[in-house]
Amino acid sequence: MTDHDGTEKAKAGRIEASCTVRGSINHDEYFHVSHIVRPGETLSSSGHESRVGGKGANQAVAIALAGGTARFYGTIGKDGLWIRERMMRFGIDVEGIVVSEELTGRAIIQVDEQGENSIILFPGANYSDLHEQSFARHPDGPGWFPTSTHLLLQNEIPLPATYYALHSAKAQGAVVVVNPSPLPEEEEMRRFPWEKVDWLVVNEAEARGVYGAVARRGMDEVSSQRQSQKKASSPASMSTRELISSLSAEPAFVSTNIVCTLGADGVLAFVPALHRRDNSLEAQEFIQLPAAKLLEGVKDTTGAGDCFAGYFVCGLMEFAESAAGRRGEDGGTEGGGKREMREKDLERILKVAVQAAGMCCERRGTIDSYPSRSEVEARMAASV
């Protein structure tokens, strides 16, 4: 069982900050198998479980367990009312969960004996536009969107809904964090308003996909005479540092902070305000941290990336407006009313997020495997 006792205590220190999560919420069905089923194969499972899932819901729960205030906006069907009740138990503000005539989104998840997983998604009610219809009829006028210091987005709802949330929250001055997973189609990535994203959270494969799309967009925008000069290196041939450096150099990402999770190799972060060199000949700096050391073997990696994202955003919330990562006069990052975030602060946020994600892999399930903030801090203290 996860200890939630530390959640309310952790919230007390940052009640001003809140995060709106506009995303997916699913009924996750887990099938425990000896190996991931192969084409044409019929395989019996050793166990079956029904749990709350969806990347948006997962990340909202992770924020709450980390000690932050999360407001979740998503859609379920009448078959998923139990899911809303379960979300409430985690301390999530669920007023934004609406009920559709469509079936609740569903994920069919195979988990093998090594903890690896394979997932099939059915979007269901996640693809309704009930929220946008409601926002348009809001008493405060069309274009309304819930006010918060942070917005967290993924890619399991329709892009028009994502765009609406992103543009509305950005206009209100919120810090926008995007985890583009599962990765959009290449043309969609080319059109995405990346310049409005303060923090991009991706794994290595997603980073390569995003860079490949935006680099090709840049090639399309130059004349045929100059295309030979604009050719980008193949993302597949780049080291991770070369990849993140190249992505950050793209016009749409020059002010975007990039966090790239590397699984067993930890995490790599590039923050322009802290790491961009004034001289193009100087090597870029990064923050790179190792993966967490686990006390038990990996049982299930499902949702580990969402756990990381939620914990990371909760860490940013300690700095409110300053978490956008703008450079202060003394080399830190500055904003509108909270203390500045420095490199050591970002390292601490990342260490906590990495530890939380690692600990969730020691347990089966998704949100049921997420540790509380007190559990994470106790593990970190013990390791020191």
Side-chain angles (χ1 to χ4, degrees), residues 6 12 80 82 104 156 166 197 247 292 341 363 380:
W82 64 274
T104 301
E156 286 185 342
L166 191 158
V197 176
L247 178 59
M341 181 173 64
R363 307 166 177 173
M380 294 178 73

Side-chain angles (χ1 to χ4, degrees), residues 214-235:
V214 298
R216 278 188 283 276
R217 177 179 67 180
M219 290 175 63
D220 292 342
E221 290 172 353
V222 298
S223 66
S224 58
Q225 290 83 4
R226 296 176 58 201
Q227 281 192 12
S228 61
Q229 302 171 15
K230 179 70 177 178
K231 286 182 180 178
S233 300
S234 168

Side-chain angles (χ1 to χ4, degrees), residues 13 100 102-103 129-130 135 138 148 161 170 179 202 206 226 230 242 244 251 261 306 312 330-333 341 373 384:
S100 166
E102 301 175 64
L103 292 173
D129 62 352
L130 291 178
F135 295 158
H138 196 272
S148 59
K170 194 66 177 177
N179 171 219
V202 286
E206 291 160 353
R226 296 176 58 201
K230 179 70 177 178
E242 290 172 333
I244 300 305
T261 57
D306 294 334
F312 177 70
D330 60 354
T333 61
M341 181 173 64
R373 182 63 172 264
V384 172

Side-chain angles (χ1 to χ4, degrees), residues 29-38 41-49 108-118 299 364:
E29 290 193 84
Y30 285 82
F31 295 85
H32 298 284
V33 293
S34 58
H35 60 271
I36 303 301
V37 68
R38 293 182 287 267
E41 180 183 22
T42 299
L43 185 65
S44 294
S45 67
S46 60
H48 171 268
E49 299 164 281
I108 305 299
I109 305 171
Q110 299 178 62
V111 182
D112 70 15
E113 293 175 348
Q114 286 70 48
E116 293 300 323
N117 63 73
S118 176
K299 293 182 179 178
R364 295 197 182 278

Side-chain angles (χ1 to χ4, degrees), residues 40-292:
E41 180 183 22
T42 299
L43 185 65
S44 294
S45 67
S46 60
H48 171 268
E49 299 164 281
S50 287
R51 301 176 183 270
V52 178
K55 294 189 71 65
N58 294 346
Q59 293 178 8
V61 168
I63 291 171
L65 290 177
T69 298
R71 301 185 179 117
F72 180 75
Y73 281 73
T75 310
I76 57 175
K78 293 178 181 177
D79 61 315
L81 296 178
W82 64 274
I83 295 175
R84 182 168 60 186
E85 295 300 315
R86 185 71 198 283
M87 291 286 283
M88 289 178 63
R89 294 184 209 167
F90 286 97
I92 308 289
D93 183 336
V94 298
E95 288 188 11
I97 297 181
V98 300
V99 181
S100 166
E101 293 298 322
E102 301 175 64
L103 292 173
T104 301
R106 188 161 298 209
I108 305 299
I109 305 171
Q110 299 178 62
V111 182
D112 70 15
E113 293 175 348
Q114 286 70 48
E116 293 300 323
N117 63 73
S118 176
I119 304 173
I120 299 174
L121 293 175
F122 167 66
N126 289 312
Y127 268 39
S128 77
D129 62 352
L130 291 178
H131 279 92
E132 287 65 44
Q133 292 180 30
S134 174
F135 295 158
R137 299 191 302 267
H138 196 272
D140 291 341
W144 181 87
F145 192 75
T147 301
S148 59
T149 58
H150 291 68
L151 172 71
L152 177 56
L153 298 167
Q154 314 79 34
N155 190 41
E156 286 185 342
I157 60 175
L159 275 174
T162 297
Y163 288 157
Y164 182 97
L166 191 158
H167 291 302
S168 300
K170 194 66 177 177
Q172 296 171 359
V175 174
V176 175
V177 184
V178 174
N179 171 219
S181 179
L183 210 60
E185 296 294 328
E186 183 168 303
E187 186 56 36
E188 294 172 335
M189 286 192 284
R190 293 183 184 188
R191 296 196 304 265
F192 197 89
W194 300 111
E195 66 280 355
K196 292 182 178 290
V197 176
D198 296 301
W199 290 88
L200 177 71
V201 179
V202 286
N203 61 31
E204 189 170 0
E206 291 160 353
R208 294 187 189 281
V210 172
Y211 174 67
V214 298
R216 278 188 283 276
R217 177 179 67 180
M219 290 175 63
D220 292 342
E221 290 172 353
V222 298
S223 66
S224 58
Q225 290 83 4
R226 296 176 58 201
Q227 281 192 12
S228 61
Q229 302 171 15
K230 179 70 177 178
K231 286 182 180 178
S233 300
S234 168
S237 66
M238 294 179 173
S239 70
T240 308
R241 289 192 171 211
E242 290 172 333
L243 172 67
I244 300 305
S245 181
S246 297
L247 178 59
S248 182
E250 288 294 317
F253 289 91
V254 291
S255 298
T256 301
N257 309 300
I258 302 173
V259 175
C260 184
T261 57
L262 305 173
D265 292 325
V267 64
L268 182 74
F270 178 80
V271 176
L274 300 175
H275 300 144
R276 195 181 300 285
R277 303 295 89 197
D278 295 329
N279 186 336
S280 61
L281 298 179
E282 293 183 77
Q284 301 280 24
E285 292 185 8
F286 298 86
I287 294 175
Q288 185 159 10
L289 301 175

